[in-house]
Amino acid sequence: VGGKHPIYEKLKHEYQSWLKTEAPEKKDKNIDHNEYDVDAKKVHDQGKPEPKLTADDILYKQLGNQMGSNPGGTYEGKDGIKRYVKFYRDSSQAYCEHVTNEIYKSLGLQAPNSHIFEKNGKTAYASDFMSNLKTFGNSNITKEMATDAMKGFAADVLVCNWDAAGTGLDNFNYRPDIGTVRIDQGGALLFRAQGAPKPEGALYGLGEWDSFISMNPYYAQVARTAGFYSGDDMKELATPMIDKIEKMS
C-alpha cells in the first residue's frame, strides 16, 4: 500500500485535488458467523502479532464442509478456536485475502484474524470465527448500520474489494458493540471472489470509486440506505479514512 502502488497513487491524487477545491471543514471529533468463537475485540487489538500456526495446529478437527465458492471447510484448531479454511487454487489469493485483512485492521476497520499456512505443498488460508455477528442480508438494515459500513468505502476502493458486501450481503456483518465487520476478502486485490484473476487494466485506476455504487447492486443497496448515490456523495464521510490511508504511505 506504499506510495508506488498505482491504486494508492490514484487515490492520493484524487484526494489532494478534492482538498484544494471542495473539502469540508474538519470537525472535532454465506458462512454463519453467529457461531464464531473469537471475540472481535481481540481482532482489533493492534500491535500484537499472531503466532505462526501450522496445518496441524489449524486442521486438528474438521467440523463442516465447504460453504463458499472455493474448496474449504470449518475446522477446530488445537487451540480450540474455530476457523474457516480455504484451499485456494492459486496460492496468491490466500496472501491477497490475508493482506487485505491486515490493511483493513490497520485502518481501524473490523476484519477477522487470519493465518497463512502450508498444506501438501500449497499455501492455504484460515480466518478465525467471530461471535454474535449477523449478516446485513439477514438484518433490517438501518441508516446507522449502512453509514457505518460506508465509513470503510475508501478502504474497499483501495484494495479493490469487489465482493466487500457479498452476494446477498453476506460479507458485510454487524454487531452493535463493534459495528460493521468485513468477513470475507476473497475478491480483493488481484482476484475475483471465485478465483479468477482480475483484468490487469482494472488494477491501474480508481474505477471502484464509481462502480461500487453504479454497478454492484449489493454494495449500492447499502450505500443508498445510507443516503449515498455516488462515490462523490461520500467524499465527506470518506475523508477520515483517506487521511488514514495517507498516513500508511
Side-chain angles (χ1 to χ4, degrees), residues 67-89:
M67 291 187 284
S69 55
N70 294 283
T74 302
Y75 291 80
E76 182 179 300
K78 289 182 178 179
D79 53 9
I81 294 176
K82 283 199 293 184
R83 299 179 176 91
Y84 191 74
V85 176
K86 297 179 185 179
F87 302 105
Y88 281 122
R89 297 171 183 85

Side-chain angles (χ1 to χ4, degrees), residues 46-65:
Q46 301 296 322
K48 296 182 180 180
E50 291 294 307
K52 180 70 174 177
L53 299 178
T54 67
D56 287 341
D57 294 327
I58 292 172
L59 305 176
Y60 180 66
K61 182 191 301 183
Q62 185 167 0
L63 304 176
N65 297 320

Side-chain angles (χ1 to χ4, degrees), residues 184-196:
D184 187 333
Q185 284 42 272
L189 298 177
L190 304 179
F191 292 90
R192 298 175 183 268
Q194 295 185 3

Side-chain angles (χ1 to χ4, degrees), residues 80-154:
I81 294 176
K82 283 199 293 184
R83 299 179 176 91
Y84 191 74
V85 176
K86 297 179 185 179
F87 302 105
Y88 281 122
R89 297 171 183 85
D90 187 328
S91 296
S92 298
Q93 193 168 6
Y95 286 105
C96 284
E97 182 159 9
H98 178 62
V99 166
T100 301
N101 282 331
E102 295 304 305
I103 291 172
Y104 278 149
K105 289 188 288 183
S106 294
L107 291 170
L109 299 172
Q110 294 286 353
N113 279 333
S114 57
H115 314 269
I116 298 294
F117 64 99
E118 298 297 318
K119 175 67 174 177
N120 296 331
K122 294 195 70 176
T123 301
Y125 167 88
S127 60
D128 295 1
F129 277 49
M130 294 167 64
S131 61
N132 301 318
L133 301 183
K134 191 173 183 179
T135 69
F136 275 43
N138 288 326
S139 302
N140 179 20
I141 305 171
T142 65
K143 184 173 183 179
E144 178 185 11
M145 287 174 60
T147 301
D148 184 72
M150 290 300 99
K151 289 178 181 176
F153 169 69

Side-chain angles (χ1 to χ4, degrees), residues 18-34:
W18 172 62
L19 281 179
K20 294 177 183 178
T21 57
E22 53 181 306
E25 290 184 3
K26 291 188 178 180
K27 300 179 181 179
D28 296 332
K29 293 194 78 123
N30 296 325
I31 299 172
D32 184 4
H33 285 255
N34 288 322

